């Protein structure tokens, strides 16, 4: 959740969000260089012309949430975190949702509509009967770390890299504070996770 593409930045502008300040917090993502074992490196220009934000943006999800939460507050909407939808039902003109706080306290709310945005483990989506299918890659897991890298990577700081070999993959993305996000597809070490 660190790449915000050009079209999303356009939508943010239409929503009246402070995109220029938001972009100043992030890193521009202009190029992806592919390093495939046995072949010369190939660089792809990821920029899009004809838009106020020709480069994608690499930025922490916390900055995106902060900007969206501030805009909602300007519109009179209060964001509540740490609550889960545990039960959802619908009648002809409303949705009744039971929310449970971390301490187990429950609250029932009624609304005209409800958006399921909980990811792969969604009570709302499950109770609405919307399927979510996943497929694990046997013996493979994806790990990532945000770290400072000594020695640098080829290309300028707007480059993301993808190294592909017969035993796995390694990707990099420049983060706003000088760190690099490093993610790798590696042999599964037996840890169970989604």
């Amino acid at each position: 959740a660190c790449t915000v593409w050009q079209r999303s930045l356009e939508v943010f502008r239409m929503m009246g969000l402070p995109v220029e300040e938001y972009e100043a917090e992030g890193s521009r993502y202009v190029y992806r260089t592919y390093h495939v074992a046995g072949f010369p490196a190939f660089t792809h220009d990821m920029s899009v012309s004809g838009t106020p934000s020709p480069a994608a943006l690499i930025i922490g999800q916390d900055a995106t949430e902060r900007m969206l939460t501030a805009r909602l507050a300007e519109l009179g909407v209060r964001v509540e975190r740490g609550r889960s939808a545990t039960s959802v039902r619908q009648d002809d003109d409303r949705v009744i949702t039971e929310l449970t706080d971390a301490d187990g306290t429950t609250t029932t709310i009624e609304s005209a509509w409800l958006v399921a945005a909980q990811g792969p483990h969604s009570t709302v989506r499950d109770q609405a009967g919307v399927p979510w299918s996943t497929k694990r890659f046997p013996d493979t897991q994806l790990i990532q770390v945000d770290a400072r890298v000594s020695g640098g990577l080829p290309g300028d700081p707007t480059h993301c890299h993808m190294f592909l070999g017969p035993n796995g993959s390694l990707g990099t993305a420049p983060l706003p504070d000088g760190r690099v996000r490093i993610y790798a597809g590696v042999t599964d070490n037996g840890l169970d996770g989604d």
Side-chain angles (χ1 to χ4, degrees), residues 2-190:
C2 71
T3 304
V4 179
W5 296 101
Q6 294 91 332
R7 298 302 178 231
S8 294
L9 293 168
E10 287 179 8
V11 171
F12 286 172
R13 278 188 172 82
M14 288 188 275
M15 293 168 58
L17 297 169
V19 174
E20 285 72 24
E21 290 126 33
Y22 175 66
E23 287 179 312
E25 288 185 59
S27 298
R28 293 174 59 241
Y29 172 11
V30 180
Y31 303 103
R32 173 170 300 267
T33 299
Y34 294 92
H35 307 268
V36 180
F39 296 92
F42 169 77
T43 299
H44 180 69
D45 185 343
M46 304 294 286
S47 62
V48 174
S49 61
T51 177
S53 299
L57 182 68
I58 296 178
I59 192 164
Q61 183 174 334
D62 60 324
T64 305
E65 289 179 6
R66 207 171 37 250
M67 178 182 66
L68 292 170
T69 301
R71 180 64 176 138
L72 287 169
E74 290 171 6
L75 298 171
V77 176
R78 181 174 49 114
V79 174
E80 297 180 16
R81 301 189 191 283
R83 302 180 107 183
S84 296
T86 50
S87 173
V88 178
R89 63 186 194 280
Q90 182 175 349
D91 62 23
D92 290 340
D93 56 7
R94 66 188 174 150
V95 179
I96 299 104
T97 307
E98 183 178 281
L99 301 173
T100 303
D101 294 339
D103 66 2
T105 304
T106 61
T107 307
T108 300
I109 62 169
E110 296 180 10
S111 57
W113 47 269
L114 180 65
V115 176
Q118 296 171 298
H121 306 289
S122 171
T123 301
V124 176
R125 191 187 58 253
D126 290 345
Q127 292 187 7
V130 177
W132 175 284
S133 61
T134 61
K135 179 180 177 184
R136 290 187 60 93
F137 290 93
D139 303 321
T140 303
Q141 67 173 327
L142 183 66
I143 58 172
Q144 78 175 31
V145 65
D146 296 343
R148 299 203 183 277
V149 176
S150 62
L153 292 163
D156 67 36
T158 64
H159 269 76
C160 290
H161 294 271
M162 179 58 74
F163 300 87
L164 303 166
N167 297 319
S169 63
L170 175 77
T172 68
L175 295 172
D177 62 359
R179 294 175 302 148
V180 175
R181 175 160 292 171
I182 302 168
Y183 50 96
V186 297
T187 301
D188 193 342
N189 63 6

